[in-house]
Amino acid sequence: MRQRLESARAAALFDTYGACLTTHQQEAYRLVYDEDWSLSEVAALLGVSRAAAGDLVTRATRQLLRLETALGMVAMRNERAHLLRALVREIGRAEPAAVRAELVKTVQALAALEGLEPDV
């Protein structure tokens, strides 16, 4: 039975580790998770059986999950995003306004490094 990931988690894993997959795995995974294609549709496009398409997606998913277990890059990015959101909440309470303005600049720079959009 193929493990189905929640779409945001699937996207984060692929964005982080997708380059480690074969070209066929990348394509099959992207079609299933990004485009919501069925395995039959993926199989027809790739010229393989439905079972082979399922195997591609399963192997890709397992590989991405193994990489995340070993490296934890997605979890670390999520934790940094959580900490940035907490910092943004605290900045709203900072006084005087000049200090708050400098803190906002710093958070915006940190968020840009992370590829995030802070709500500051």
Side-chain angles (χ1 to χ4, degrees):
M1 181 75 145
R2 184 167 58 94
Q3 180 178 4
R4 180 76 182 177
L5 299 175
E6 182 266 327
S7 63
R9 179 159 170 75
L13 289 169
F14 189 79
D15 289 347
T16 304
Y17 306 112
C20 298
L21 301 175
T22 68
T23 303
H24 273 114
Q25 287 174 334
Q26 289 175 11
E27 188 169 10
Y29 187 91
R30 188 189 62 72
L31 290 170
V32 167
Y33 283 104
D34 290 350
E35 306 296 329
D36 200 30
W37 282 30
S38 70
L39 290 178
S40 297
E41 292 170 317
V42 172
L45 178 74
L46 298 179
V48 299
S49 69
R50 185 182 182 286
D55 287 344
L56 278 171
V57 175
T58 297
R59 284 195 309 275
T61 302
R62 286 182 183 155
Q63 179 66 10
L64 296 176
L65 290 170
R66 275 193 297 270
L67 288 165
E68 176 59 15
T69 298
L71 302 173
M73 293 172 63
V74 172
M76 285 187 284
R77 185 173 190 279
N78 290 342
E79 179 62 19
R80 288 190 306 270
H82 171 75
L83 291 171
L84 274 172
R85 285 190 299 272
L87 184 55
V88 166
R89 285 191 303 273
E90 292 301 318
I91 286 173
R93 301 179 191 135
E95 291 296 333
V99 170
R100 188 170 46 251
E102 287 303 311
L103 290 171
V104 166
K105 287 181 198 174
T106 302
V107 167
Q108 288 171 334
L110 285 170
L113 288 173
E114 291 294 325
L116 302 171
E117 292 290 328
D119 293 329
V120 182

